[in-house]
Amino acid sequence: MTAKVLQDSSNIIQPEKDEPTTEEKLKQLERVLQSRTLEGSGSLKSLLQYVVLKVIEDRSIQLKEYTLASEVFGRSGDFDSHTDSVVRVQAKRLRSKLQEYYDKEGPSDRILISLPKGHYSAAFSYALPRNEPFGSDFPKAATSDPTPSTLPR
């Protein structure tokens, strides 16, 4: 059973123990929104901010293509996803930009935000330390540096 605790009188739900806190999620959102990677991409910023805030509020059930089309991209009530692919296209672009951000600007970021394929909800995780795939207590490989005294004569 998941232990969730309401904060204040808002609808913000505290995450699982192994998941970033609400504060960490919001700080990471701000970092990504202010990045050069998303500079000039107002629609991608809007999409990212919307899905992150909805997930933080635990309203991921509302993150349907139609909802995003109307609330994020301003499409009218007669939106038809068969003829207008704006949400799918922008979600794909956002996934690509998030990958670019973490590759170039945020390789040392502790919190990762992703938009899993097939879903319009943000996912959060802690980043694994780079250059230490099995943790810092893993023994380092010994290097052999033969010196002239150890070489056969």
Side-chain angles (χ1 to χ4, degrees), residues 26 29 48-59:
L26 290 171
L29 170 62
L48 179 61
Q49 185 169 23
Y50 184 87
V51 298
V52 166
L53 294 178
K54 287 296 181 185
V55 168
I56 288 173
E57 293 172 0
D58 199 34
R59 293 188 180 164

Side-chain angles (χ1 to χ4, degrees), residues 63-140:
L63 299 179
K64 305 290 183 195
E65 190 171 1
Y66 181 86
T67 303
L68 293 171
S70 63
E71 293 190 20
V72 176
F73 300 109
R75 296 304 198 259
S76 63
D78 62 351
F79 169 77
D80 181 3
S81 65
H82 298 297
T83 59
D84 188 344
S85 60
V86 65
V87 176
R88 291 186 304 277
V89 169
Q90 294 296 74
K92 183 177 180 179
R93 285 186 61 222
L94 180 56
R95 287 182 191 103
S96 175
K97 287 293 190 178
L98 285 170
Q99 183 65 51
E100 180 182 334
Y101 167 79
Y102 286 110
D103 286 344
K104 294 181 179 177
E105 291 182 64
S108 62
D109 286 6
R110 192 169 160 252
I111 309 298
L112 301 177
I113 300 174
S114 63
L115 195 68
K117 282 187 176 184
H119 301 278
Y120 297 118
S121 296
F124 304 91
S125 61
Y126 288 107
L128 294 174
R130 294 191 182 227
N131 300 328
E132 296 181 24
F134 299 106
S136 59
D137 58 344
F138 199 75
K140 294 186 183 216

